[in-house]
Amino acid sequence: MLIPALKALHILGVIAWVGGLAAVTFAAATSLKPDVASAARAAALKIAIPGMLLAWLGGLAIFALGLD
């Protein structure tokens, strides 16, 4: 039961991490107004940073427990 849960958390973290980074890139590339780009960047980084932490911690837990 622990293996699928850790893998699911790891994968969800990677999805949030990459999605947040893609949103930052898209907002910065398409916005002509700096305030809109900075607001979008701040909102996306609130998703990307926890996603990165979740991906790292989930991957390290899987590795440390030798589950895969």
Side-chain angles (χ1 to χ4, degrees):
M1 184 66 185
L2 183 63
I3 298 169
L6 281 176
K7 287 183 179 181
L9 286 176
H10 176 70
I11 290 172
L12 288 174
V14 171
I15 290 170
W17 184 11
V18 173
L21 293 177
V24 169
T25 304
F26 180 74
T30 59
S31 177
L32 298 176
K33 298 180 181 178
D35 57 338
V36 173
S38 65
R41 180 175 182 252
L45 288 179
K46 289 180 182 177
I47 297 170
I49 291 173
M52 177 189 65
L53 293 174
L54 189 61
W56 270 94
L57 293 175
L60 287 175
I62 292 168
F63 179 74
L65 295 176
L67 298 177
D68 196 278

CSV table of all heavy atoms in Angstrom, one decimal:
chain,number,residue,atom,x,y,z
A,1,MET,N,0.8,-1.2,0.0
A,1,MET,CA,0.0,0.0,0.0
A,1,MET,C,0.9,1.3,0.0
A,1,MET,O,0.5,2.3,-0.5
A,1,MET,CB,-0.9,0.0,1.2
A,1,MET,CG,-1.9,1.1,1.3
A,1,MET,SD,-3.0,1.0,-0.1
A,1,MET,CE,-3.9,2.4,0.1
A,2,LEU,N,2.0,1.2,0.6
A,2,LEU,CA,2.9,2.4,0.7
A,2,LEU,C,3.5,2.7,-0.7
A,2,LEU,O,3.7,3.9,-1.0
A,2,LEU,CB,4.0,2.1,1.7
A,2,LEU,CG,5.0,3.2,2.0
A,2,LEU,CD1,4.2,4.4,2.6
A,2,LEU,CD2,6.1,2.8,2.9
A,3,ILE,N,3.9,1.7,-1.4
A,3,ILE,CA,4.5,1.9,-2.7
A,3,ILE,C,3.7,2.7,-3.7
A,3,ILE,O,4.2,3.7,-4.2
A,3,ILE,CB,5.0,0.6,-3.4
A,3,ILE,CG1,6.0,-0.1,-2.5
A,3,ILE,CG2,5.6,0.8,-4.7
A,3,ILE,CD1,6.3,-1.5,-2.9
A,4,PRO,N,2.4,2.3,-4.0
A,4,PRO,CA,1.6,3.2,-4.9
A,4,PRO,C,1.4,4.6,-4.4
A,4,PRO,O,1.3,5.5,-5.2
A,4,PRO,CB,0.3,2.4,-5.0
A,4,PRO,CG,0.6,1.0,-4.6
A,4,PRO,CD,1.7,1.1,-3.6
A,5,ALA,N,1.2,4.7,-3.1
A,5,ALA,CA,1.0,6.1,-2.5
A,5,ALA,C,2.2,7.0,-2.7
A,5,ALA,O,2.1,8.1,-3.1
A,5,ALA,CB,0.6,6.0,-1.0
A,6,LEU,N,3.4,6.4,-2.4
A,6,LEU,CA,4.6,7.2,-2.6
A,6,LEU,C,4.8,7.6,-4.1
A,6,LEU,O,5.2,8.7,-4.4
A,6,LEU,CB,5.8,6.5,-2.1
A,6,LEU,CG,6.0,6.6,-0.6
A,6,LEU,CD1,7.2,5.7,-0.1
A,6,LEU,CD2,6.2,8.0,-0.1
A,7,LYS,N,4.6,6.6,-5.0
A,7,LYS,CA,4.7,6.9,-6.4
A,7,LYS,C,3.7,7.9,-6.9
A,7,LYS,O,4.1,8.8,-7.7
A,7,LYS,CB,4.6,5.6,-7.2
A,7,LYS,CG,5.8,4.7,-7.0
A,7,LYS,CD,5.7,3.4,-7.9
A,7,LYS,CE,6.9,2.6,-7.8
A,7,LYS,NZ,6.8,1.4,-8.6
A,8,ALA,N,2.5,7.8,-6.4
A,8,ALA,CA,1.5,8.8,-6.8
A,8,ALA,C,1.9,10.2,-6.3
A,8,ALA,O,1.7,11.2,-7.1
A,8,ALA,CB,0.1,8.4,-6.2
A,9,LEU,N,2.3,10.3,-5.1
A,9,LEU,CA,2.8,11.6,-4.6
A,9,LEU,C,3.9,12.2,-5.4
A,9,LEU,O,4.0,13.4,-5.7
A,9,LEU,CB,3.1,11.5,-3.1
A,9,LEU,CG,2.0,11.4,-2.1
A,9,LEU,CD1,2.5,11.2,-0.7
A,9,LEU,CD2,1.0,12.6,-2.2
A,10,HIS,N,4.9,11.3,-5.7
A,10,HIS,CA,6.0,11.7,-6.5
A,10,HIS,C,5.6,12.2,-7.9
A,10,HIS,O,6.0,13.3,-8.3
A,10,HIS,CB,7.0,10.6,-6.7
A,10,HIS,CG,8.1,10.9,-7.5
A,10,HIS,ND1,9.1,11.7,-7.2
A,10,HIS,CD2,8.5,10.4,-8.8
A,10,HIS,CE1,10.0,11.8,-8.2
A,10,HIS,NE2,9.6,11.0,-9.1
A,11,ILE,N,4.7,11.5,-8.5
A,11,ILE,CA,4.2,11.9,-9.9
A,11,ILE,C,3.4,13.2,-9.8
A,11,ILE,O,3.5,14.0,-10.7
A,11,ILE,CB,3.5,10.7,-10.5
A,11,ILE,CG1,4.4,9.6,-10.9
A,11,ILE,CG2,2.7,11.2,-11.8
A,11,ILE,CD1,3.8,8.3,-11.3
A,12,LEU,N,2.5,13.3,-8.8
A,12,LEU,CA,1.8,14.5,-8.7
A,12,LEU,C,2.7,15.7,-8.4
A,12,LEU,O,2.4,16.8,-8.9
A,12,LEU,CB,0.8,14.4,-7.6
A,12,LEU,CG,-0.4,13.5,-7.8
A,12,LEU,CD1,-1.3,13.3,-6.6
A,12,LEU,CD2,-1.3,14.0,-9.0
A,13,GLY,N,3.7,15.5,-7.7
A,13,GLY,CA,4.7,16.6,-7.4
A,13,GLY,C,5.4,17.0,-8.7
A,13,GLY,O,5.6,18.2,-9.0
A,14,VAL,N,5.8,16.1,-9.5
A,14,VAL,CA,6.4,16.4,-10.8
A,14,VAL,C,5.5,17.1,-11.7
A,14,VAL,O,5.9,18.1,-12.4
A,14,VAL,CB,7.0,15.1,-11.5
A,14,VAL,CG1,7.5,15.4,-12.9
A,14,VAL,CG2,8.1,14.5,-10.6
A,15,ILE,N,4.2,16.7,-11.8
A,15,ILE,CA,3.3,17.4,-12.6
A,15,ILE,C,3.1,18.8,-12.2
A,15,ILE,O,3.0,19.7,-13.0
A,15,ILE,CB,1.9,16.6,-12.6
A,15,ILE,CG1,2.1,15.3,-13.4
A,15,ILE,CG2,0.8,17.4,-13.2
A,15,ILE,CD1,0.9,14.3,-13.3
A,16,ALA,N,2.9,19.0,-10.9
A,16,ALA,CA,2.8,20.4,-10.4
A,16,ALA,C,4.0,21.2,-10.6
A,16,ALA,O,3.9,22.4,-11.0
A,16,ALA,CB,2.5,20.4,-8.9
A,17,TRP,N,5.2,20.7,-10.4
A,17,TRP,CA,6.4,21.4,-10.6
A,17,TRP,C,6.6,21.8,-12.1
A,17,TRP,O,6.8,23.0,-12.4
A,17,TRP,CB,7.6,20.5,-10.2
A,17,TRP,CG,9.0,21.0,-10.3
A,17,TRP,CD1,9.3,22.3,-10.4
A,17,TRP,CD2,10.2,20.3,-10.2
A,17,TRP,NE1,10.7,22.5,-10.4
A,17,TRP,CE2,11.2,21.2,-10.2
A,17,TRP,CE3,10.5,19.0,-10.0
A,17,TRP,CZ2,12.6,20.9,-10.2
A,17,TRP,CZ3,11.8,18.6,-9.9
A,17,TRP,CH2,12.8,19.5,-10.0
A,18,VAL,N,6.4,20.9,-13.0
A,18,VAL,CA,6.6,21.2,-14.4
A,18,VAL,C,5.4,22.1,-14.9
A,18,VAL,O,5.7,23.1,-15.7
A,18,VAL,CB,6.6,19.9,-15.3
A,18,VAL,CG1,6.6,20.2,-16.8
A,18,VAL,CG2,7.9,19.1,-14.9
A,19,GLY,N,4.2,21.9,-14.4
A,19,GLY,CA,3.1,22.8,-14.8
A,19,GLY,C,3.3,24.2,-14.3
A,19,GLY,O,3.0,25.1,-15.0
A,20,GLY,N,3.8,24.4,-13.1
A,20,GLY,CA,4.0,25.7,-12.6
A,20,GLY,C,5.1,26.4,-13.4
A,20,GLY,O,5.0,27.6,-13.7
A,21,LEU,N,6.2,25.7,-13.7
A,21,LEU,CA,7.2,26.3,-14.5
A,21,LEU,C,6.8,26.7,-15.9
A,21,LEU,O,7.1,27.7,-16.5
A,21,LEU,CB,8.4,25.4,-14.6
A,21,LEU,CG,9.2,25.1,-13.3
A,21,LEU,CD1,10.3,24.1,-13.5
A,21,LEU,CD2,9.7,26.4,-12.7
A,22,ALA,N,5.9,25.8,-16.5
A,22,ALA,CA,5.4,26.1,-17.8
A,22,ALA,C,4.5,27.3,-17.8
A,22,ALA,O,4.4,28.2,-18.7
A,22,ALA,CB,4.6,24.9,-18.4
A,23,ALA,N,3.7,27.4,-16.7
A,23,ALA,CA,2.8,28.6,-16.5
A,23,ALA,C,3.6,29.9,-16.4
A,23,ALA,O,3.2,30.9,-17.0
A,23,ALA,CB,1.9,28.4,-15.3
A,24,VAL,N,4.7,29.9,-15.7
A,24,VAL,CA,5.6,31.0,-15.5
A,24,VAL,C,6.1,31.4,-16.9
A,24,VAL,O,6.1,32.6,-17.3
A,24,VAL,CB,6.7,30.8,-14.5
A,24,VAL,CG1,7.8,31.9,-14.6
A,24,VAL,CG2,6.2,30.6,-13.1
A,25,THR,N,6.6,30.5,-17.6
A,25,THR,CA,7.2,30.7,-19.0
A,25,THR,C,6.1,31.3,-19.9
A,25,THR,O,6.4,32.3,-20.6
A,25,THR,CB,7.8,29.5,-19.5
A,25,THR,OG1,8.7,29.0,-18.6
A,25,THR,CG2,8.4,29.7,-20.9
A,26,PHE,N,5.0,30.7,-19.9
A,26,PHE,CA,3.9,31.2,-20.8
A,26,PHE,C,3.5,32.6,-20.4
A,26,PHE,O,3.3,33.4,-21.3
A,26,PHE,CB,2.7,30.2,-20.7
A,26,PHE,CG,1.6,30.6,-21.6
A,26,PHE,CD1,1.6,30.4,-23.0
A,26,PHE,CD2,0.4,31.2,-21.0
A,26,PHE,CE1,0.6,30.8,-23.8
A,26,PHE,CE2,-0.6,31.6,-21.8
A,26,PHE,CZ,-0.6,31.4,-23.2
A,27,ALA,N,3.3,32.9,-19.1
A,27,ALA,CA,2.9,34.2,-18.7
A,27,ALA,C,3.9,35.2,-19.0
A,27,ALA,O,3.6,36.3,-19.5
A,27,ALA,CB,2.6,34.2,-17.2
A,28,ALA,N,5.2,34.9,-18.8
A,28,ALA,CA,6.2,35.9,-19.1
A,28,ALA,C,6.4,36.1,-20.6
A,28,ALA,O,6.7,37.2,-21.0
A,28,ALA,CB,7.5,35.4,-18.5
A,29,ALA,N,6.1,35.1,-21.4
A,29,ALA,CA,6.3,35.3,-22.9
A,29,ALA,C,5.2,36.0,-23.5
A,29,ALA,O,5.4,36.6,-24.6
A,29,ALA,CB,6.6,33.9,-23.5
A,30,THR,N,4.0,35.8,-23.0
A,30,THR,CA,2.8,36.3,-23.7
A,30,THR,C,2.3,37.7,-23.2
A,30,THR,O,1.5,38.3,-23.9
A,30,THR,CB,1.7,35.3,-23.7
A,30,THR,OG1,1.3,35.0,-22.3
A,30,THR,CG2,2.0,34.0,-24.4
A,31,SER,N,2.7,38.0,-22.0
A,31,SER,CA,2.2,39.3,-21.4
A,31,SER,C,3.0,40.5,-21.8
A,31,SER,O,4.2,40.4,-21.7
A,31,SER,CB,2.1,39.1,-19.9
A,31,SER,OG,1.7,40.3,-19.3
A,32,LEU,N,2.4,41.5,-22.2
A,32,LEU,CA,3.0,42.8,-22.5
A,32,LEU,C,3.1,43.7,-21.3
A,32,LEU,O,3.9,44.6,-21.3
A,32,LEU,CB,2.3,43.5,-23.7
A,32,LEU,CG,2.3,42.7,-25.0
A,32,LEU,CD1,1.5,43.5,-26.0
A,32,LEU,CD2,3.7,42.5,-25.5
A,33,LYS,N,2.3,43.4,-20.3
A,33,LYS,CA,2.3,44.3,-19.1
A,33,LYS,C,3.1,43.6,-18.0
A,33,LYS,O,2.9,42.4,-17.7
A,33,LYS,CB,0.8,44.5,-18.6
A,33,LYS,CG,0.0,45.2,-19.6
A,33,LYS,CD,-1.4,45.4,-19.1
A,33,LYS,CE,-2.3,46.1,-20.1
A,33,LYS,NZ,-3.7,46.2,-19.6
A,34,PRO,N,4.0,44.3,-17.4
A,34,PRO,CA,4.9,43.7,-16.4
A,34,PRO,C,4.1,43.3,-15.1
A,34,PRO,O,4.5,42.3,-14.5
A,34,PRO,CB,6.0,44.7,-16.1
A,34,PRO,CG,5.7,45.8,-17.0
A,34,PRO,CD,4.5,45.6,-17.8
A,35,ASP,N,3.1,44.0,-14.8
A,35,ASP,CA,2.4,43.7,-13.6
A,35,ASP,C,1.6,42.4,-13.7
A,35,ASP,O,1.5,41.6,-12.8
A,35,ASP,CB,1.5,44.8,-13.1
A,35,ASP,CG,0.5,45.2,-14.2
A,35,ASP,OD1,0.7,44.9,-15.4
A,35,ASP,OD2,-0.6,45.8,-13.8
A,36,VAL,N,1.1,42.1,-14.9
A,36,VAL,CA,0.3,40.9,-15.2
A,36,VAL,C,1.3,39.7,-15.1
A,36,VAL,O,1.0,38.6,-14.5
A,36,VAL,CB,-0.4,40.9,-16.5
A,36,VAL,CG1,-1.0,39.6,-16.9
A,36,VAL,CG2,-1.4,42.0,-16.5
A,37,ALA,N,2.5,39.9,-15.7
A,37,ALA,CA,3.5,38.8,-15.7
A,37,ALA,C,4.0,38.5,-14.3
A,37,ALA,O,4.2,37.3,-14.0
A,37,ALA,CB,4.6,39.2,-16.7
A,38,SER,N,4.2,39.5,-13.5
A,38,SER,CA,4.7,39.3,-12.2
A,38,SER,C,3.6,38.6,-11.3
A,38,SER,O,4.0,37.8,-10.5
A,38,SER,CB,5.2,40.6,-11.6
A,38,SER,OG,4.2,41.5,-11.4
A,39,ALA,N,2.4,39.0,-11.5
A,39,ALA,CA,1.3,38.3,-10.7
A,39,ALA,C,1.2,36.9,-11.1
A,39,ALA,O,1.0,36.0,-10.3
A,39,ALA,CB,0.0,39.1,-10.9
A,40,ALA,N,1.2,36.6,-12.4
A,40,ALA,CA,1.1,35.2,-12.9
A,40,ALA,C,2.3,34.4,-12.4
A,40,ALA,O,2.2,33.2,-12.0
A,40,ALA,CB,1.1,35.2,-14.4
A,41,ARG,N,3.5,35.0,-12.4
A,41,ARG,CA,4.7,34.4,-11.9
A,41,ARG,C,4.6,34.0,-10.4
A,41,ARG,O,4.9,32.9,-10.0
A,41,ARG,CB,5.9,35.2,-12.2
A,41,ARG,CG,7.2,34.6,-11.7
A,41,ARG,CD,8.4,35.5,-12.1
A,41,ARG,NE,9.6,34.9,-11.7
A,41,ARG,CZ,10.4,35.3,-10.7
A,41,ARG,NH1,10.0,36.4,-10.0
A,41,ARG,NH2,11.5,34.6,-10.4
A,42,ALA,N,4.1,34.9,-9.6
A,42,ALA,CA,3.9,34.7,-8.2
A,42,ALA,C,2.9,33.6,-8.0
A,42,ALA,O,3.2,32.7,-7.1
A,42,ALA,CB,3.5,36.0,-7.5
A,43,ALA,N,1.8,33.6,-8.7
A,43,ALA,CA,0.8,32.5,-8.5
A,43,ALA,C,1.4,31.2,-8.9
A,43,ALA,O,1.1,30.2,-8.3
A,43,ALA,CB,-0.4,32.9,-9.3
A,44,ALA,N,2.1,31.1,-10.0
A,44,ALA,CA,2.6,29.8,-10.5
A,44,ALA,C,3.7,29.3,-9.6
A,44,ALA,O,3.8,28.1,-9.5
A,44,ALA,CB,3.1,30.0,-12.0
A,45,LEU,N,4.5,30.2,-9.1
A,45,LEU,CA,5.6,29.7,-8.2
A,45,LEU,C,5.0,29.1,-6.9
A,45,LEU,O,5.6,28.3,-6.2
A,45,LEU,CB,6.6,30.8,-7.9
A,45,LEU,CG,7.5,31.1,-9.1
A,45,LEU,CD1,8.4,32.2,-8.7
A,45,LEU,CD2,8.2,29.9,-9.6
A,46,LYS,N,3.8,29.5,-6.5
A,46,LYS,CA,3.1,28.9,-5.4
A,46,LYS,C,2.7,27.5,-5.6
A,46,LYS,O,2.5,26.7,-4.7
A,46,LYS,CB,1.9,29.8,-4.9
A,46,LYS,CG,2.3,31.1,-4.3
A,46,LYS,CD,1.1,31.9,-3.9
A,46,LYS,CE,1.5,33.2,-3.4
A,46,LYS,NZ,0.4,34.1,-3.0
A,47,ILE,N,2.7,27.1,-6.9
A,47,ILE,CA,2.4,25.7,-7.3
A,47,ILE,C,3.7,25.0,-7.6
A,47,ILE,O,3.9,23.8,-7.2
A,47,ILE,CB,1.5,25.7,-8.5
A,47,ILE,CG1,0.2,26.3,-8.2
A,47,ILE,CG2,1.3,24.3,-9.0
A,47,ILE,CD1,-0.7,26.6,-9.4
A,48,ALA,N,4.7,25.7,-8.2
A,48,ALA,CA,5.9,25.0,-8.6
A,48,ALA,C,6.8,24.6,-7.5
A,48,ALA,O,7.4,23.5,-7.4
A,48,ALA,CB,6.7,25.9,-9.6
A,49,ILE,N,6.9,25.5,-6.5
A,49,ILE,CA,7.9,25.2,-5.4
A,49,ILE,C,7.4,24.0,-4.5
A,49,ILE,O,8.1,23.1,-4.2
A,49,ILE,CB,8.1,26.5,-4.6
A,49,ILE,CG1,8.9,27.5,-5.4
A,49,ILE,CG2,8.9,26.2,-3.3
A,49,ILE,CD1,9.1,28.8,-4.8
A,50,PRO,N,6.1,24.0,-4.1
A,50,PRO,CA,5.6,22.8,-3.3
A,50,PRO,C,5.7,21.6,-4.2
A,50,PRO,O,5.9,20.5,-3.7
A,50,PRO,CB,4.2,23.2,-3.0
A,50,PRO,CG,4.1,24.6,-3.0
A,50,PRO,CD,5.1,25.1,-4.1
A,51,GLY,N,5.4,21.7,-5.5
A,51,GLY,CA,5.5,20.5,-6.4
A,51,GLY,C,6.9,20.0,-6.4
A,51,GLY,O,7.1,18.8,-6.4
A,52,MET,N,7.9,20.9,-6.5
A,52,MET,CA,9.3,20.5,-6.5
A,52,MET,C,9.6,19.8,-5.2
A,52,MET,O,10.3,18.7,-5.2
A,52,MET,CB,10.2,21.7,-6.7
A,52,MET,CG,11.7,21.3,-6.6
A,52,MET,SD,12.8,22.8,-6.6
A,52,MET,CE,12.3,23.5,-5.0
A,53,LEU,N,9.2,20.3,-4.1
A,53,LEU,CA,9.5,19.7,-2.8
A,53,LEU,C,8.9,18.3,-2.7
A,53,LEU,O,9.5,17.3,-2.2
A,53,LEU,CB,9.1,20.6,-1.7
A,53,LEU,CG,9.8,21.9,-1.5
A,53,LEU,CD1,9.2,22.8,-0.4
A,53,LEU,CD2,11.3,21.6,-1.2
A,54,LEU,N,7.6,18.2,-3.2
A,54,LEU,CA,6.9,16.9,-3.1
A,54,LEU,C,7.6,15.9,-4.0
A,54,LEU,O,7.7,14.7,-3.6
A,54,LEU,CB,5.5,17.1,-3.5
A,54,LEU,CG,4.5,16.0,-3.4
A,54,LEU,CD1,4.4,15.6,-1.9
A,54,LEU,CD2,3.1,16.3,-3.9
A,55,ALA,N,8.0,16.3,-5.2
A,55,ALA,CA,8.7,15.4,-6.1
A,55,ALA,C,10.0,14.9,-5.5
A,55,ALA,O,10.3,13.7,-5.6
A,55,ALA,CB,8.9,16.1,-7.5
A,56,TRP,N,10.8,15.8,-5.0
A,56,TRP,CA,12.1,15.4,-4.4
A,56,TRP,C,11.9,14.5,-3.2
A,56,TRP,O,12.5,13.5,-3.1
A,56,TRP,CB,12.9,16.7,-4.0
A,56,TRP,CG,13.7,17.2,-5.0
A,56,TRP,CD1,13.5,18.2,-6.0
A,56,TRP,CD2,15.1,16.7,-5.4
A,56,TRP,NE1,14.5,18.3,-6.8
A,56,TRP,CE2,15.5,17.5,-6.4
A,56,TRP,CE3,15.9,15.8,-4.8
A,56,TRP,CZ2,16.8,17.3,-7.0
A,56,TRP,CZ3,17.1,15.6,-5.4
A,56,TRP,CH2,17.6,16.3,-6.5
A,57,LEU,N,11.0,14.9,-2.3
A,57,LEU,CA,10.8,14.1,-1.1
A,57,LEU,C,10.2,12.8,-1.4
A,57,LEU,O,10.6,11.7,-0.8
A,57,LEU,CB,10.0,14.9,0.0
A,57,LEU,CG,10.6,16.1,0.5
A,57,LEU,CD1,9.6,16.9,1.4
A,57,LEU,CD2,11.9,15.8,1.3
A,58,GLY,N,9.3,12.7,-2.3
A,58,GLY,CA,8.7,11.4,-2.7
A,58,GLY,C,9.7,10.5,-3.4
A,58,GLY,O,9.8,9.3,-3.1
A,59,GLY,N,10.5,11.1,-4.2
A,59,GLY,CA,11.6,10.3,-4.9
A,59,GLY,C,12.6,9.8,-3.9
A,59,GLY,O,13.1,8.7,-4.0
A,60,LEU,N,13.0,10.7,-3.0
A,60,LEU,CA,14.0,10.3,-2.0
A,60,LEU,C,13.4,9.2,-1.1
A,60,LEU,O,14.2,8.3,-0.7
A,60,LEU,CB,14.5,11.5,-1.2
A,60,LEU,CG,15.4,12.4,-1.9
A,60,LEU,CD1,15.7,13.6,-1.0
A,60,LEU,CD2,16.7,11.7,-2.3
A,61,ALA,N,12.2,9.3,-0.7
A,61,ALA,CA,11.5,8.3,0.1
A,61,ALA,C,11.5,6.9,-0.6
A,61,ALA,O,11.8,5.9,0.0
A,61,ALA,CB,10.1,8.7,0.5
A,62,ILE,N,11.1,7.0,-1.9
A,62,ILE,CA,11.1,5.7,-2.7
A,62,ILE,C,12.5,5.1,-2.7
A,62,ILE,O,12.7,3.9,-2.6
A,62,ILE,CB,10.5,6.0,-4.1
A,62,ILE,CG1,9.1,6.3,-4.0
A,62,ILE,CG2,10.7,4.8,-5.0
A,62,ILE,CD1,8.5,6.9,-5.3
A,63,PHE,N,13.5,6.0,-3.0
A,63,PHE,CA,14.9,5.5,-3.1
A,63,PHE,C,15.4,5.0,-1.7
A,63,PHE,O,16.0,3.9,-1.7
A,63,PHE,CB,15.8,6.6,-3.6
A,63,PHE,CG,17.2,6.3,-3.7
A,63,PHE,CD1,17.7,5.4,-4.7
A,63,PHE,CD2,18.1,6.7,-2.7
A,63,PHE,CE1,19.0,5.1,-4.8
A,63,PHE,CE2,19.5,6.4,-2.8
A,63,PHE,CZ,19.9,5.5,-3.8
A,64,ALA,N,15.1,5.7,-0.7
A,64,ALA,CA,15.7,5.3,0.7
A,64,ALA,C,15.0,4.0,1.2
A,64,ALA,O,15.7,3.2,1.8
A,64,ALA,CB,15.4,6.4,1.7
A,65,LEU,N,13.8,3.8,0.9
A,65,LEU,CA,13.1,2.6,1.3
A,65,LEU,C,13.4,1.4,0.4
A,65,LEU,O,13.0,0.3,0.7
A,65,LEU,CB,11.6,2.9,1.5
A,65,LEU,CG,11.2,3.9,2.5
A,65,LEU,CD1,9.7,4.1,2.5
A,65,LEU,CD2,11.6,3.4,3.9
A,66,GLY,N,14.0,1.7,-0.7
A,66,GLY,CA,14.3,0.6,-1.7
A,66,GLY,C,13.0,0.0,-2.2
A,66,GLY,O,13.0,-1.2,-2.4
A,67,LEU,N,12.0,0.8,-2.5
A,67,LEU,CA,10.8,0.2,-2.9
A,67,LEU,C,10.7,-0.1,-4.4
A,67,LEU,O,9.7,-0.7,-4.9
A,67,LEU,CB,9.6,1.2,-2.5
A,67,LEU,CG,9.5,1.4,-1.0
A,67,LEU,CD1,8.4,2.4,-0.7
A,67,LEU,CD2,9.2,0.1,-0.3
A,68,ASP,N,11.6,0.4,-5.2
A,68,ASP,CA,11.5,0.2,-6.6
A,68,ASP,C,12.8,-0.1,-7.2
A,68,ASP,O,13.8,0.4,-7.0
A,68,ASP,CB,10.9,1.4,-7.3
A,68,ASP,CG,10.4,1.0,-8.7
A,68,ASP,OD1,11.2,1.0,-9.6
A,68,ASP,OD2,9.2,0.7,-8.8
